Amino acid sequence: MIELHDLSFSYPGHEPILHGLNLTFAAGSHVALSGPNGAGKSTLALLVKGLLGPDSGELLVDGMAAVDEKTRDMIMRRVGLVFQNPENTFVATTVERELAFGLENLGVDPAEMRARVDESLERFDLARYRFKNPSQLSGGEKQRLALAAVMIMRPSHLILDEPTSLLDPWVRSHIIDLIHHAAAEGATVLHITPFAGEAAQADRLVVLGGEGVIADAAPSELIGGGRNDSFSFVGETVCAADRNGDGPMNRISGSHEADREKRTLLSLENIHFSYGDAGGKKSSALTDVSLTLKIGMATALLGRSGSGKTTLLEIAAGLSKPSRGTVSGNGAENCAMAFQFPEDQIFGDTVEEYVAFGLKNRGRSESETSGAVERALLSLGFQAHEILKADPLALSGGEQRRVALAAVLAIGPAMLVLDEPTAGLDREGVDRIAAVLKNYVDGGGALLFSTHDFALAECLADNAMLLENGRISSQGDTETVLSGISIT
């Protein structure tokens, strides 16, 4: 059992992010935890794990409070935590060793350890990556590995911080089944999710907001039952409303001009790319891929995790060079890219310093820089006076994603390359980014983005490409490509 009694927590120099929480999670229960970005969901996960301590109040795990190193160690052994960014937990140089690491710390018998590792490799579809370095996996593969590395230890309490945010639709339902199985076997599951479909499968739904707990009931009472006016889930994007002409995008940006000439900005022809491992063995990531990017148009990259989407994005952005093939045009020279994990590119002491960095590098004046920074932040839902002096690394995952996008938008690039731009965002964040990106494209920008959200692709993209094992499976207008996809 996990118990929170009048629990409060604040980060140094900030207002309390959690205040006076009183919650109990019964042993063996499956609880979904939702709420807007910045509501304290990830912070609560860190508190339950014992990685943070409350400012006041009490947090008990099976009757124990982390008052000293001995009890903290006992709690951490009972609680498994899958972080929002899977890379935060990797310690080994191969997938196999990563899975074995936790078992070694628990003193599991070597024969049982081998059996559990083999089982986990199969259950999480990681067997082919047994000897691969985790850093070389795709985002979705990393997320599966992080989940497997925690679940293999069979913790009494399983805390999952958006474990499917980077997973493709083909594998997401399988992972949810594994989570249900853990709950059925008696683990207490606290599942942080912005997705209504996932929350609906829990026994209980708790929603956090600025005032603490704003809802706590059976999912059937809160989802689609008229009681969720103060919060919303990620489902269909804002574009669903725009098909009827009454969504915010029409008010923000208008529609494409049908007769606008689309000038080619960047052309990728017959691109091949291979990665090498420590033993010198080559593995193909892209094979004979061609793509043309034009101004005023958006292209979506679709496909399973590991299909080569991020590699193709990095080549388009000029961050990687193909093993073979031709890159022509000047798109990469006028391009800005936001990575899959925004913390990988965030730096500086304040949000203002980070967002202004690219502008100052391009020789913009102080007044130009200041204005561009504030406009970019405002477009992504921030109040400049509240966010400018904030530590960017102290923001929530969703807030970091929006700040990273603000930084690349502020410089006014001719081409924007985005890797999963809406992963980890709440419904408001998804809607806002969709509107901002449509405005960018309608203003003449070229957009290339990867996504597992087919509704977002349908909403934003003129064209789409479906990759399978590094090869083009389908390419053309978005509606045609999406109609040919089967989620099995």
Side-chain angles (χ1 to χ4, degrees), residues 77-249:
R77 285 172 176 266
R78 291 171 181 255
V79 177
L81 171 60
V82 178
F83 288 82
Q84 198 171 42
N85 183 342
E87 291 185 326
N88 289 345
T89 57
F90 294 156
V91 296
T93 56
T94 68
V95 167
E96 180 181 59
R97 295 299 305 156
E98 186 67 34
L99 291 173
F101 180 78
L103 300 178
E104 291 172 338
N105 285 341
L106 295 176
V108 173
D109 177 78
E112 181 181 354
M113 186 186 307
R114 285 192 292 271
R116 285 206 210 177
V117 168
D118 289 342
E119 178 191 22
S120 291
L121 287 169
E122 293 297 329
R123 289 178 74 190
F124 289 87
D125 192 24
L126 293 167
R128 55 188 155 165
Y129 307 122
R130 179 189 287 265
F131 303 114
K132 196 168 184 177
N133 192 309
S135 66
Q136 296 178 335
L137 300 178
S138 71
E141 291 161 352
K142 289 175 181 176
Q143 200 157 32
R144 295 207 308 272
L145 175 57
L147 185 58
V150 170
M151 292 185 70
I152 197 173
M153 294 185 285
R154 300 171 185 171
S156 300
H157 310 286
L158 185 59
I159 315 299
L160 308 168
D161 195 352
E162 301 193 18
T164 66
S165 61
L166 297 174
L167 297 182
D168 59 65
W170 292 271
V171 76
R172 183 176 292 162
S173 61
H174 173 61
I175 296 301
I176 295 299
D177 288 343
L178 294 176
I179 294 171
H180 290 326
H181 183 68
E185 290 187 332
T188 305
V189 175
L190 183 57
H191 179 186
I192 300 172
T193 177
F195 301 111
E198 294 181 3
Q201 299 180 58
D203 305 318
R204 173 183 169 198
L205 172 58
V206 175
V207 182
L208 295 183
E211 301 301 320
V213 177
I214 60 176
D216 185 354
S220 59
E221 296 182 33
L222 298 175
I223 299 175
R227 288 182 52 189
N228 61 339
D229 293 338
S230 56
F231 63 95
S232 55
F233 292 93
V234 173
E236 289 190 309
T237 67
V238 67
C239 307
D242 284 301
R243 297 190 194 103
N244 300 320
D246 58 356
M249 286 191 183

Side-chain angles (χ1 to χ4, degrees), residues 239 249 252-258 260-263 265 293-300 405 409 412-418 421 432-449 456-463 478:
C239 307
M249 286 191 183
I252 291 174
S253 57
S255 59
H256 286 294
E257 297 174 28
R260 182 196 300 167
E261 181 183 355
K262 308 295 186 182
R263 179 171 58 84
L265 190 64
L293 303 175
K294 297 184 177 183
I295 64 170
M297 295 188 70
T299 300
L405 182 55
L409 282 171
M415 187 173 84
L416 197 56
V417 176
L418 305 175
R432 183 172 291 276
I433 282 186
V436 167
L437 293 180
K438 191 170 189 300
N439 193 41
Y440 168 80
V441 173
D442 284 349
L447 173 63
L448 176 65
F449 68 103
L456 182 72
E458 184 180 8
C459 150
L460 285 180
D462 305 278
N463 300 306
T478 305

Side-chain angles (χ1 to χ4, degrees), residues 299-311:
T299 300
L301 295 184
L302 310 172
R304 297 174 186 263
S305 298
S307 61
K309 299 187 298 297
T310 296
T311 301

